[in-house]
Amino acid sequence: MWRHQLMTTSRCFSTSIRALHWWDHVCPAPKDPITSVTEAFLADTSPVKINLGVGAYRDDEGKPVILQCLRDAEAKIAGCDFLESISSAVSSKLVEESVKLVYGKDSDVIKEGRYAGVQALSGTGACRLFAEFQKRFHPESQIYLPNPTWSNHHNIWRDAQVQQNTFSYYHPDLKGLNFTALMDDVKNAPDGSFFLLHPCAHNPTGVDPTEEQWREISHQFKVKNHFPFFDMAYQGFASGDLDRDALSIRIFLEDGHLLGCAQSFAKNMGLYGHRVGCLSVLCNDMKQAVAIKSQLQKIARAMYSSPPVHGTSLVSTVLSDPDIKALWVKEVKGMANRIQTMRTNLQESLWQLGSSLNWQHITNQVGMFCFSGLTPKQVDWLAREFHIYMTHDGRMSMAGVTTGNVNYLANAINEVTKYGVHTAQHLGTNLSSMSVFVHHS
Amino acid sequence: MFQSPPLLAALLISFALGSVYSIEDIPDVDGDRDFGIQSFSLSLGQEKGKVRLGSGNLTVWFHKEKSNPFINTKSSGRISMAVAVNVSRFEGITMAPPDPILGVSEAFKADNDEKKLNLGVGAYRTEELQPYVLNVVKKAENLMLERGEYKEYLPIEGLAAFNKVTAELLLGADNTVIKQQRVATVQGLSGTGSLRLAAALIERYFPGAKVLISSPTWGNHKNIFNDARVPWSEYRYYDPKTVGLDFEGMIADLKAAPEGSFILLHGCAHNPTGIDPTPEQWEKIADVIQEKNHIPFFDVAYQGFASGSLDADAASVRLFAARGMELLVAQSYSKNLGLYAERIGAINVICSSVDAAARVKSQLKRLARPMYSNPPVHGARIVANVVGDPTLFDEWKAEMDMMAGRIKGVRQKLFDSLSAKDKSGKDWSLYKADWHVLLHRIEQSSVKIQRKPTSRSNKKKESENMTNKWHVYMTKDGRISLAGLNLAKCEYLADAIVDSYHNAKGLNSV
């Protein structure tokens, strides 16, 4: 739309009238579908309001949490001066520890140093760095994004000017993985295509392939010589176990893929506002790794020069201090467990209310989000009448559910779905076919 | 043969496919070269390289540097299949050249000579040549630690408290444009990040519009505009003959630029020359910019450090704003608050109306979201605490005074040393140099000796001599960062400069 405006206004530049108003042709940007939910929530004055929008962890009182491991790390680094002279050392340490976390500290790629790793501005920054890198070195390539995916993935590759496609992922009727269609799309894509995959806790659906399915996907990727790019934003949140959640990536690693991976420490370390993440690209050898790293750094240099040091130091401290790391692992499990409990509670509440709909997916899906199946109309209704906020696609952040509000939530959902659109497709669902797609935790 | 339809069909299809493959892709040979990619096309040339069957495998087959890819048999437990394996998609990528500024620090670190001196990056050092964390920053961080503040996401536009104080610091709290809410301020990742947001805004809303940058300018400006796909060209700025501002040249180039160009100006303490226009010259520059319907785009990286006064250093920006002009201003707190590593800055767009400011802000957010979603919180909180608290603010001003004072002292000592050591009668006095000064500017700051400017190759020789013989590190354009110098090393540096000037001349023609 703004391009059209531009076309018309660009003619104005050729006139000799002094244009004081340079920005007349700039339209208001549409609100971001995720952050605008928080904005609406903040503006609501109701005492019973619930924010199920952004994927940020909350405790059982609905409060943001500073993990104890972080407090320990802060204490450890307090009084150390974070000077630009050491920030590159801290950054390197972070990258070293991050890649161990995702590939496994004993993996060959780690031992042989066959990875190009750079620190990035959380998951977004890592994806954007990769998208720019992809555009620069494979300018004609496209990216295949799962349907659906985190909305910002579309923005990222678009702004990097990489053409995008989608591949089948979610089966709305089954509220599970549409594996057949997924494999078809993988097979039908041109050889050597770039694919974005969620290694665990798919956002927004919470639906992940099983281990067996991952192996098949990996194999097909080898056949087609596709490039797998993983966006790991929830390691630890899917099963509560950091290694388990990296299983898909390690399967691909075993199969010899030279993949790429974006990692975020926003959720699993609660470092949202500090923007700490990592981008790694696996290589044939160290020489290649050095070259790719230099190119990634070059791209970063023209975007923001270097990443902020404070969050980096925290993550680096947590990951390299055995005691603090052990504490962290426990706390991640704690967060994942609380979310799991909330899923169970919500499901039970709905059943107790006598809802006739199938809410199996609430506990089948994993990670922070429940892809509820609610329609945009129902979502609006929930906001308007019940002061419950979520994104329009019906994605609920389970982290925003507490023992205090779960019954209220269940009641509200029941109200808006009692007579709802859901019914017909839904009630005829064969429960046994659902179980094929149950995620093995 | 032609009576057999399947065979005919097969032939036609093969032919069609063959033609499609041949003409399908005209390889970007120039792009390959620019980014250092060894491609089949680059070696064969664009015409011959037409036979390019997609990426990956086939390219690797013919890649001179690599051995032939080997084929492995892969068993998935269900099907045995021959698949190509372990070939990196990014095979041909070559090493990027070291960053001309940051690369200096890397080279410095690798040097084992104890006399070495790093005058590369413009980062402040104490007299002991140690990095310096301002006391106000430590105080602010302690406050923050005590409060135990959450680490939640900031909104896309950044910390509201920070955005407020940064705009006020730049323009003055009671500036009309602020009172009228005509400034769109978005927190950015220091100067670089803020410039990049602005560049992206220009690319999207003024496609084809050029940015004019000074010659010379900070090395990373070009990278930013290149990566943002914004065309740029240079305007004359530094005059080596007068060792000052080439004002006539600058004005002429601004006049010659296409209407509606963006003019990148350094608000104060021009990097790398240290030469700033006088207030009268700023007025004239503003005149020309208005005449030509250009848009002024300020990069303010040293507010408070050029003259020691935050207000005085913002005078150029305020002059333009007072004229009712719309302008862009990128800010950085890397130097003046020593927050290099926290990446804190802002992009401000001063618009003619509240509505325009709101719209522009929304679009800046839209550009930021796919870059990094939201900016880092820590540095923003520090700035908000320091600038927002009157006591801390005063302390900050005092500390800045101290830092600027140290640089002044060092500059004085350096030139005393140069004058004492160099018996050639050359006048080594410097004009208004701040953080940086160009090496050949020091050498040519003589008004008595009229000499031709040193050729490019001589500048390079002098820099190389400085580094190779004296272990003094600076950027290749001959820029010395005085902030990295201390009193103790002035004599040594003076020796190095004198030696390089006199002995590394080579084919200099005078």
Side-chain angles (χ1 to χ4, degrees):
Chain A
M1 177 174 80
W2 53 266
R3 279 194 200 276
H4 174 72
Q5 298 236 206
L6 264 171
M7 301 288 274
T8 42
T9 353
S10 62
R11 284 179 221 131
C12 297
F13 283 115
S14 59
T15 68
S16 56
I17 300 164
R18 192 168 83 184
L20 179 65
H21 310 284
W22 288 110
W23 312 101
D24 284 354
H25 62 306
V26 174
C27 310
K31 287 195 177 287
D32 183 275
I34 300 175
T35 60
S36 55
V37 173
T38 301
E39 284 170 22
F41 168 80
L42 288 170
D44 187 327
T45 51
S46 162
V48 297
K49 64 180 180 175
I50 307 179
N51 186 2
L52 303 178
V54 78
Y57 183 77
R58 296 283 177 271
D59 64 14
D60 203 39
E61 263 113 61
K63 297 247 165 41
V65 167
I66 303 180
L67 298 180
Q68 186 56 45
C69 63
L70 276 187
R71 290 186 203 271
D72 292 353
E74 288 270 22
K76 196 171 176 193
I77 68 180
C80 295
D81 292 335
F82 286 107
L83 312 158
E84 80 287 356
S85 53
I86 68 154
S87 66
S88 68
V90 174
S91 202
S92 300
K93 188 88 188 116
L94 173 90
V95 169
E96 242 180 77
E97 295 297 331
S98 299
V99 295
K100 279 191 211 161
L101 200 61
V102 73
Y103 301 123
K105 64 176 170 22
D106 297 321
S107 78
D108 286 337
V109 283
I110 303 278
K111 291 204 193 127
E112 294 160 22
R114 286 193 291 113
Y115 61 90
V118 292
Q119 200 195 328
L121 295 168
S122 205
T124 307
C127 287
R128 180 59 178 266
L129 266 189
F130 183 78
E132 295 283 340
F133 178 67
Q134 179 187 347
K135 177 67 182 178
R136 188 167 288 191
F137 294 101
H138 284 276
E140 304 305 320
S141 66
Q142 301 180 0
I143 185 80
Y144 282 80
L145 304 170
N147 179 17
T149 191
W150 179 47
S151 53
N152 206 27
H153 281 146
H154 292 285
N155 300 333
I156 292 168
W157 269 269
R158 182 202 61 219
D159 274 20
Q161 303 198 353
V162 173
Q163 209 185 320
Q164 39 185 279
N165 278 310
T166 58
F167 64 92
S168 305
Y169 192 84
Y170 181 66
H171 198 310
D173 295 338
L174 299 170
K175 293 197 173 45
L177 186 65
N178 191 345
F179 188 58
T180 325
L182 189 160
M183 291 303 280
D184 281 342
D185 285 351
V186 170
K187 285 178 191 145
N188 293 333
D191 280 16
S193 296
F194 286 73
F195 276 74
L196 181 128
L197 303 165
H198 299 226
C200 67
H202 181 271
N203 177 3
T205 68
V207 168
D208 291 339
T210 62
E211 182 176 333
E212 181 52 42
Q213 287 169 334
W214 275 123
R215 290 194 188 280
E216 284 195 47
I217 297 170
S218 172
H219 175 74
Q220 196 56 235
F221 267 54
K222 290 300 277 186
V223 170
K224 296 286 297 179
N225 195 31
H226 288 328
F227 184 93
F229 181 72
F230 286 93
D231 184 3
M232 175 71 103
Y234 295 97
Q235 190 176 2
F237 264 106
S239 66
D241 181 325
L242 290 154
D243 284 314
R244 189 91 151 279
D245 285 354
L247 184 60
S248 56
I249 295 182
R250 299 188 190 176
I251 287 172
F252 274 67
L253 214 57
E254 264 170 46
D255 285 354
H257 290 282
L258 291 174
L259 50 96
C261 182
Q263 286 170 272
S264 163
F265 289 99
K267 281 90 171 161
N268 59 13
M269 256 197 226
L271 280 172
Y272 309 93
H274 285 275
R275 322 311 296 129
V276 191
C278 179
L279 169 67
S280 51
V281 178
L282 301 187
C283 312
N284 266 329
D285 53 46
M286 263 181 84
K287 179 162 171 249
Q288 200 35 226
V290 169
I292 292 181
K293 180 173 167 159
S294 73
Q295 296 288 353
L296 291 171
Q297 285 171 325
K298 190 156 185 264
I299 295 172
R301 175 77 165 132
M303 222 185 265
Y304 52 86
S305 263
S306 54
V309 78
H310 193 81
T312 314
S313 324
L314 289 174
V315 177
S316 167
T317 305
V318 169
L319 293 178
S320 50
D321 179 317
D323 292 329
I324 304 184
K325 184 172 181 184
L327 178 58
W328 173 53
V329 170
K330 247 177 68 183
E331 291 188 282
V332 171
K333 188 151 182 63
M335 290 195 283
N337 284 347
R338 194 187 87 71
I339 292 180
Q340 191 56 39
T341 311
M342 289 302 107
R343 286 183 183 274
T344 314
N345 288 0
L346 179 62
Q347 190 182 60
E348 275 172 16
S349 293
L350 282 162
W351 283 342
Q352 272 166 23
L353 285 167
S355 172
S356 55
L357 300 177
N358 182 351
W359 296 107
Q360 196 61 43
H361 54 284
I362 296 180
T363 48
N364 286 343
Q365 292 164 1
V366 293
M368 236 187 229
F369 302 110
C370 167
F371 215 38
S372 62
L374 293 168
T375 64
K377 276 208 171 75
Q378 289 165 331
V379 169
D380 285 340
W381 188 353
L382 282 172
R384 235 180 17 249
E385 190 169 327
F386 297 93
H387 310 280
I388 295 171
Y389 295 85
M390 67 184 72
T391 47
H392 252 172
D393 54 4
R395 182 193 84 165
M396 299 194 296
S397 170
M398 295 306 294
V401 183
T402 66
T403 43
N405 66 23
V406 66
N407 290 328
Y408 176 76
L409 176 62
N411 190 55
I413 292 176
N414 189 41
E415 286 299 309
V416 310
T417 56
K418 271 203 289 226
Y419 315 109
V421 177
H422 253 343
T423 46
Q425 308 163 296
H426 208 85
L427 290 174
T429 301
N430 184 344
L431 270 178
S432 63
S433 69
M434 278 283 305
S435 64
V436 171
F437 299 108
V438 169
H439 176 88
H440 294 291
S441 299
Chain B
M1 178 167 75
F2 289 94
Q3 268 119 13
S4 164
L7 192 56
L8 182 62
L11 276 173
L12 282 172
I13 290 168
S14 314
F15 178 71
L17 281 176
S19 345
V20 164
Y21 282 138
S22 328
I23 62 175
E24 172 194 356
D25 182 22
I26 297 174
D28 176 17
V29 179
D30 295 322
D32 289 348
R33 198 177 296 119
D34 286 344
F35 292 117
I37 305 172
Q38 295 302 320
S39 70
F40 186 40
S41 319
L42 192 57
S43 22
L44 282 194
Q46 207 153 3
E47 285 305 302
K48 289 185 188 169
K50 275 182 188 170
V51 184
R52 208 171 157 201
L53 299 175
S55 55
N57 291 342
L58 202 61
T59 321
V60 177
W61 274 106
F62 296 100
H63 208 290
K64 289 170 198 159
E65 288 171 24
K66 300 286 161 201
S67 53
N68 285 334
F70 50 94
I71 311 278
N72 265 358
T73 331
K74 173 76 183 164
S75 168
S76 71
R78 296 200 294 168
I79 310 159
S80 277
M81 216 169 205
V83 296
V85 72
N86 288 14
V87 173
S88 168
R89 302 303 302 278
F90 302 106
E91 260 321 307
I93 292 175
T94 57
M95 193 68 183
D99 183 279
I101 301 173
L102 302 178
V104 173
S105 292
E106 284 163 29
F108 171 80
K109 271 198 214 128
D111 187 330
N112 290 321
D113 192 297
E114 57 174 20
K115 298 190 296 302
K116 64 181 181 176
L117 194 53
N118 186 359
L119 303 178
V121 173
Y124 181 81
R125 293 285 180 270
T126 61
E127 177 60 30
E128 294 78 36
L129 292 184
Q130 291 304 309
Y132 179 62
V133 176
L134 276 75
N135 286 324
V136 281
V137 170
K138 290 189 198 177
K139 285 188 184 170
E141 286 192 301
N142 284 336
L143 273 172
M144 286 155 60
L145 198 61
E146 275 165 39
R147 278 187 226 132
E149 280 161 338
Y150 292 124
K151 303 180 185 304
E152 295 299 292
Y153 289 127
L154 285 178
I156 302 174
E157 68 267 30
L159 187 68
F162 166 77
N163 288 345
K164 176 173 185 297
V165 302
T166 199
E168 288 176 356
L169 193 70
L170 178 70
L171 297 162
D174 44 11
N175 194 308
T176 328
V177 299
I178 293 198
K179 292 222 185 92
Q180 294 175 348
Q181 298 181 309
R182 291 198 279 120
V183 190
T185 303
V186 167
Q187 180 186 335
L189 276 98
S190 202
T192 307
S194 308
L195 287 162
R196 181 60 181 265
L197 275 183
L201 188 72
I202 294 171
E203 194 272 339
R204 186 166 284 184
Y205 289 99
F206 300 88
K210 250 205 284 203
V211 173
L212 266 72
I213 61 180
S214 65
S215 169
T217 192
W218 179 47
N220 208 24
H221 280 147
K222 298 173 192 179
N223 298 334
I224 293 168
F225 295 117
N226 281 339
D227 277 23
R229 299 179 194 97
V230 174
W232 55 267
S233 66
E234 288 177 305
Y235 60 85
R236 280 167 283 175
Y237 192 81
Y238 172 62
D239 184 355
K241 290 198 281 296
T242 62
V243 193
L245 178 60
D246 179 0
F247 190 59
E248 301 303 321
M250 178 178 179
I251 295 296
D253 288 346
L254 295 190
K255 283 191 174 155
E259 237 192 60
S261 296
F262 288 78
I263 313 297
L264 189 67
L265 303 158
H266 298 227
C268 63
H270 183 273
N271 180 359
T273 68
I275 301 167
D276 292 336
T278 63
E280 296 73 34
Q281 287 173 327
W282 275 122
E283 295 275 4
K284 189 84 211 304
I285 293 167
D287 287 340
V288 175
I289 288 180
Q290 279 180 305
E291 252 171 64
K292 293 287 303 187
N293 269 343
H294 291 325
I295 306 170
F297 180 0
F298 282 93
D299 184 0
V300 177
Y302 295 95
Q303 189 183 1
F305 252 122
S307 66
S309 156
L310 287 159
D311 290 318
D313 286 351
S316 55
V317 173
R318 296 180 189 184
L319 185 158
F320 279 64
R323 284 179 169 225
M325 297 168 82
E326 292 186 306
L327 54 144
L328 297 126
V329 189
Q331 291 171 282
S332 164
Y333 289 90
S334 290
K335 280 82 171 169
N336 57 11
L337 259 173
L339 290 174
Y340 312 93
E342 299 295 352
R343 319 309 298 135
I344 179 66
I347 178 67
N348 303 276
V349 184
I350 301 172
C351 307
S352 55
S353 68
V354 183
D355 182 63
R359 283 182 280 116
V360 168
K361 184 164 170 165
S362 75
Q363 294 294 352
L364 284 168
K365 284 165 66 170
R366 193 153 167 249
L367 287 160
R369 175 56 160 154
M371 245 191 241
Y372 49 82
S373 276
N374 41 73
V377 67
H378 197 77
R381 282 200 179 128
I382 294 175
V383 176
N385 278 309
V386 169
V387 180
D389 175 300
T391 322
L392 287 179
F393 189 47
D394 284 340
E395 276 187 46
W396 178 34
K397 285 191 266 198
E399 267 188 290
M400 249 194 313
D401 220 14
M402 180 276 295
M403 288 158 76
R406 192 187 86 66
I407 296 181
K408 271 194 194 121
V410 147
R411 190 165 77 222
Q412 188 60 53
K413 176 111 197 262
L414 176 62
F415 292 102
D416 290 344
S417 305
L418 280 165
S419 312
K421 283 172 189 294
D422 180 40
K423 304 300 174 200
S424 72
K426 179 179 159 55
D427 177 5
W428 290 94
S429 60
L430 248 192
Y431 301 133
K432 190 162 69 85
D434 318 350
W435 277 63
H436 310 292
V437 69
L438 286 180
L439 178 62
H440 59 274
R441 196 187 139 203
I442 302 174
E443 297 163 346
Q444 298 194 46
S445 60
S446 160
V447 283
K448 291 179 194 159
I449 305 170
Q450 297 298 323
R451 59 198 307 275
K452 285 187 196 161
T454 42
S455 66
R456 243 172 155 194
S457 59
N458 282 328
K459 284 183 211 164
K460 197 159 172 269
K461 284 198 178 73
E462 282 150 15
S463 294
E464 280 171 1
N465 190 61
M466 294 284 282
T467 306
N468 298 340
K469 184 171 170 187
W470 294 88
H471 305 276
V472 174
Y473 289 81
M474 67 186 73
T475 49
K476 287 250 145 42
D477 59 359
R479 183 190 84 166
I480 288 177
S481 176
L482 292 177
L485 182 61
N486 64 357
L487 294 169
K489 296 246 180 172
C490 283
E491 305 242 344
Y492 178 74
L493 180 61
D495 284 334
I497 291 174
V498 170
D499 173 68
S500 304
Y501 173 69
H502 286 296
N503 301 331
K505 280 205 294 277
L507 300 163
N508 185 31
S509 59
V510 175

